[in-house]
Amino acid sequence: APRALMGEVLHVGAMVATAAGACCVAADRPAARVRELLIAALMLLAMGDMVLGGARVPPVFWAAALLFAALVAVAPGRARRGDDRRMRAFDALGAVLMASLLLAAHVPASPGSSHHGAGAMPLVVLTLVGVAAYAVGGVVLVVTAHRDRPLVTRLPPLAMGASAVLMAAPLVVG
């Protein structure tokens, strides 16, 4: 029971980090960042359903919706500056990673659970490597992107990286 409680606390922490990042996006030019707001809203809905709602919607649906949002985020648009394109790519990667986290957390872990006999382990390992790289990328973006803009503009990647780490932690300790 203590591990399950710790997992829930970590997931709620991830939701708080995602909500903080979404608030930063909304506070900074919300009309120009609709794609980022879409991804943040989908992530919050998916996490809320998984953590608070008892997974009423199948995780594969949330994963598919997040993958679609990732494609929308990187579709050609008005991102003219290199920093804007980097942020869109980072958001899209975040959506892909969240889809992977949702699936990794809900795939049966037994070795014989798939017709290849591998179970969830390869997905979990790849997801954890992706989370580590994503968290480092978030720190790099905070330090390098939009240096001339207010801190509220640069915080979403850090919040998203923190959210990914908090979502992945139960995969490690569980």
Side-chain angles (χ1 to χ4, degrees), residues 8-158:
E8 296 304 315
V9 169
L10 291 167
H11 284 132
V12 169
M15 288 180 64
V16 169
T18 300
C23 288
C24 290
V25 170
D28 174 57
R29 305 177 310 141
R33 297 179 75 178
V34 171
R35 297 173 192 201
E36 292 156 293
L37 287 170
L38 169 70
I39 288 175
L42 266 174
M43 285 182 178
L44 282 170
L45 286 171
M47 286 190 275
D49 183 49
M50 296 295 126
V51 175
L52 306 172
R56 291 189 184 135
V57 177
V60 71
F61 169 82
W62 289 118
L66 285 162
L67 292 174
F68 178 76
L71 290 172
V72 169
V74 294
R78 297 184 317 173
R80 292 181 182 95
R81 295 177 9 175
D83 284 349
D84 288 338
R85 284 194 301 271
R86 286 172 48 197
M87 294 295 271
R88 277 196 185 165
F90 189 77
D91 291 335
L93 287 173
V96 170
L97 190 57
M98 181 59 70
S100 180
L101 281 163
L102 288 170
L103 294 175
H106 293 90
V107 171
S110 65
S113 62
S114 75
H115 67 280
H116 294 290
M121 193 51 64
L123 177 61
V124 170
V125 170
L126 286 171
T127 300
L128 292 174
V129 169
V131 165
Y134 189 74
V136 170
V139 172
V140 169
L141 273 177
V142 166
V143 172
T144 63
H146 299 299
R147 282 179 274 170
D148 57 330
R149 308 256 315 272
L151 185 61
V152 70
T153 303
R154 299 188 325 249
L155 281 181
L158 193 61

